[in-house]
Amino acid sequence: MYSNTDIFKIETNHIVPAQGKILISEPFLCDYIFGRSVILLVDHTKEGTMGLVLNKPLPLFLNDILQDFNYQENIPIYKGGPLSTDTLFYLHTLEGITDSLPISNGLYLNGDFNAIKEYILQGNPIKGKIRFFLGYSGWEYEQLHRELEENTWLVSTESKDTIMNENAGTELWKNSLGRLGSKYELWSRFPQIPALN
């Protein structure tokens, strides 16, 4: 049983970050980019960490940024983070794409973009198979370690299906935090504090 003050004491869940895990922002983080964010760690080494914010859609579609790409459906793009915001990154579940970086359990980052475009233009399914992001999130090794010690993030895992589900976007933070149970589930229902741009 928690006392009233314990319920609101933000404390990390002490899980070590690793490639393929997710970061869940603590509920009271008032940050325009990272508030209520879920970030997939696509790389985590002693040199630093790279991740993609999974749940911040942009008001842009793939056709808007690729001039030579004529596809009938609108393919959404997400804000992967504040770094290299003019660079397109893509998560996918397609095996055999040259130069893809394996992340975990059938999940890949980037690779031969012409092969990705060809896959799409041939009418193959995109939902649940490919997601696009502009920019990425990055930390120096000690920086992420410090933020974890400051209880800015909780580390967890998510299924490949959830990570690749665009429709999970708006509820992803709440659901990922709630699945941790106990007081984390209570925090997931706490109203969001508006962030300043």
Side-chain angles (χ1 to χ4, degrees), residues 104-116:
S104 68
N105 196 21
L107 197 58
Y108 304 91
L109 177 70
N110 293 355
D112 181 358
F113 190 59
N114 287 327
I116 295 285

Side-chain angles (χ1 to χ4, degrees), residues 24 65 73 97 103 109 118:
I24 306 168
I65 63 166
E73 289 180 45
I97 301 289
I103 296 170
L109 177 70
E118 189 177 325

Side-chain angles (χ1 to χ4, degrees), residues 176-195:
S176 295
L177 186 60
R179 269 194 286 280
L180 297 177
S182 183
K183 60 183 174 181
Y184 303 117
E185 198 277 329
L186 179 66
W187 293 344
S188 74
R189 292 182 271 137
F190 199 85
Q192 183 170 8
I193 298 167

Side-chain angles (χ1 to χ4, degrees), residues 156-176:
S156 187
T157 57
E158 251 328 331
S159 70
K160 178 173 67 175
D161 289 346
T162 300
I163 288 167
M164 294 306 292
N165 181 3
E166 303 167 352
N167 298 328
T170 53
E171 294 294 309
L172 183 60
W173 179 87
K174 182 179 178 183
N175 293 339
S176 295

